[in-house]
Amino acid sequence: MFAHILEEEIENKIYVVELKPSKFSHNVVIAMKLRGNRLFLCGFCKLDSSKQSTTIRAINLIEDTINDKGTIKKSSRKSMIIYGIIVIVLIICLAIIFNVIKIIRATERYNIEVEKYNATVLEYNDLTTKGDFSTISDMPKKMESLSIQNTDFISSLRVFFSENNVTKISNDTSTINDMTKANENVILMAKQVVAPEQEFVMERLKEVEIIDAIESVTEQNDVNGLLGKENGYYGCVYFSTNLLDNNEILGNSLVDKGTDGGGAIEIFSDVNSAKERCEYLASFDGTVLTTGSYALVGTMVIRTSYKLDSTEQYKITDEIVKELTSIK
């Protein structure tokens, strides 16, 4: 194949070459551009079908020559493979880093909710030392706190390769938020029965359908002599119930009738005093002096008449507890 250089730009590695692919072919002009290990070819010819085919044949010959004898194309292919692998690895690494960052952010939001939840746990557990909630359904004896999750890159990377993901973390965060709200309601219920105002107790008793009337104790008519005394109650409210005929019970007032007319709620400032009161009442169980049922709720003792049967005693106590702990 005959060839000679017509023009060249050594600095830019551009060459214009005239070629004669074979003895009987036309001369063709080919421009070459060398960029690294890649060679770019461009053929020039007039709009003549024979010259076009000759130009194409010349370019093919150059390509064959490079493939057979040179290293430009082989090096180029190898470089492209290496570059391709590097690009793929970089993309994978960037994708992992991006997802790990999302996991870190999601875990931070999760930890914020956990801290809020744990605050409610501490508050409730503190209330359990101030009141007794064992007679209140759905109120636990004690709550357990949750652990804060690590948000460093390595820990989050482990999360990425585990079954956990941002969606699951977000769902768990939402669940913790719901649990916190539930705890807040339980705390409010607990606060309502730990040393409540007597006026609050009286208002809630008025909402109990089977209670007819209520009357609070004063120092002048307190037959127990416990009002305002050390370890005594600071408030006491007697009530009558439509489950009994109060006309058959001796006494000019509800306080005079005592618990016989329906029952009473004795309100103490601390749970230990309320427990001591229950222990005192328990000493009369099974004797002729028994005054009926009694239940410790928060720092209050809910008492019912001995004239009520056990089912009626439970019913009235249960309805009072529900009303005292309801959130309005």
Side-chain angles (χ1 to χ4, degrees), residues 67 72-82:
N67 287 335
I72 294 177
K73 209 152 197 178
K74 289 181 181 179
S75 299
S76 177
R77 184 178 300 170
K78 183 178 180 181
S79 298
M80 289 178 65
I81 293 173
I82 294 173

Side-chain angles (χ1 to χ4, degrees), residues 302-321:
I302 300 176
R303 302 174 61 188
T304 64
S305 175
Y306 76 97
K307 293 180 177 292
L308 298 168
D309 61 37
S310 58
T311 301
E312 291 171 329
Q313 289 174 344
Y314 175 81
K315 176 180 175 64
I316 196 168
T317 301
D318 184 57
E319 292 195 17
I320 290 173
V321 171

Side-chain angles (χ1 to χ4, degrees), residues 42-208:
C42 179
F44 298 89
C45 66
K46 294 182 179 180
L47 294 177
D48 180 282
S49 59
S50 62
K51 290 186 178 181
Q52 287 181 13
S53 61
T54 303
T55 303
I56 293 171
R57 190 163 62 252
I59 292 175
N60 290 337
L61 285 171
I62 295 171
E63 290 178 342
D64 292 340
T65 300
I66 293 173
N67 287 335
D68 293 340
K69 301 177 181 180
T71 59
I72 294 177
K73 209 152 197 178
K74 289 181 181 179
S75 299
S76 177
R77 184 178 300 170
K78 183 178 180 181
S79 298
M80 289 178 65
I81 293 173
I82 294 173
Y83 293 151
I85 292 173
I86 292 173
V87 169
I88 292 171
V89 171
L90 286 174
I91 291 173
I92 293 173
C93 289
L94 288 173
I96 291 174
I97 292 171
F98 176 74
N99 281 281
V100 169
I101 291 173
K102 289 175 65 177
I103 288 172
I104 291 173
R105 298 290 178 263
T107 305
E108 288 173 344
R109 291 190 293 270
Y110 172 87
N111 285 341
I112 290 172
E113 291 302 323
V114 167
E115 288 174 351
K116 292 178 182 178
Y117 174 83
N118 287 343
T120 62
V121 169
L122 289 174
E123 185 175 4
Y124 178 78
N125 289 342
D126 180 60
L127 284 169
T128 61
T129 65
K130 299 176 179 178
D132 189 303
F133 311 125
S134 58
T135 58
I136 306 174
S137 59
D138 300 326
M139 291 189 72
K141 184 176 181 180
K142 187 177 181 181
M143 292 183 180
E144 298 294 334
S145 60
L146 299 174
S147 300
I148 296 293
Q149 301 300 309
N150 293 327
T151 56
D152 60 276
F153 186 86
I154 298 301
S155 298
S156 300
L157 186 62
R158 291 195 188 100
V159 171
F160 175 78
F161 286 110
S162 69
E163 294 181 358
N164 214 340
N165 53 53
V166 172
T167 301
K168 188 175 183 303
I169 295 172
S170 298
N171 291 338
D172 290 343
T173 302
S174 179
T175 299
I176 299 300
N177 180 264
D178 292 339
M179 291 168 60
T180 301
K181 291 178 180 178
N183 281 3
E184 289 171 347
N185 287 335
V186 172
I187 288 170
L188 183 56
M189 292 167 59
K191 286 181 175 180
Q192 289 180 174
V193 295
V194 172
E197 297 288 338
Q198 179 173 279
E199 290 73 15
F200 167 80
V201 175
M202 295 177 69
E203 288 299 318
R204 290 303 177 96
L205 282 178
K206 293 176 183 178
E207 300 296 323
V208 181

Side-chain angles (χ1 to χ4, degrees), residues 16 33 39 41 88 126 133 153 187 220 228 246 258 296 316:
V16 179
K33 166 68 175 176
L39 181 65
L41 302 174
I88 292 171
D126 180 60
F133 311 125
F153 186 86
I187 288 170
Q220 289 71 33
N246 266 265
L296 177 58
I316 196 168

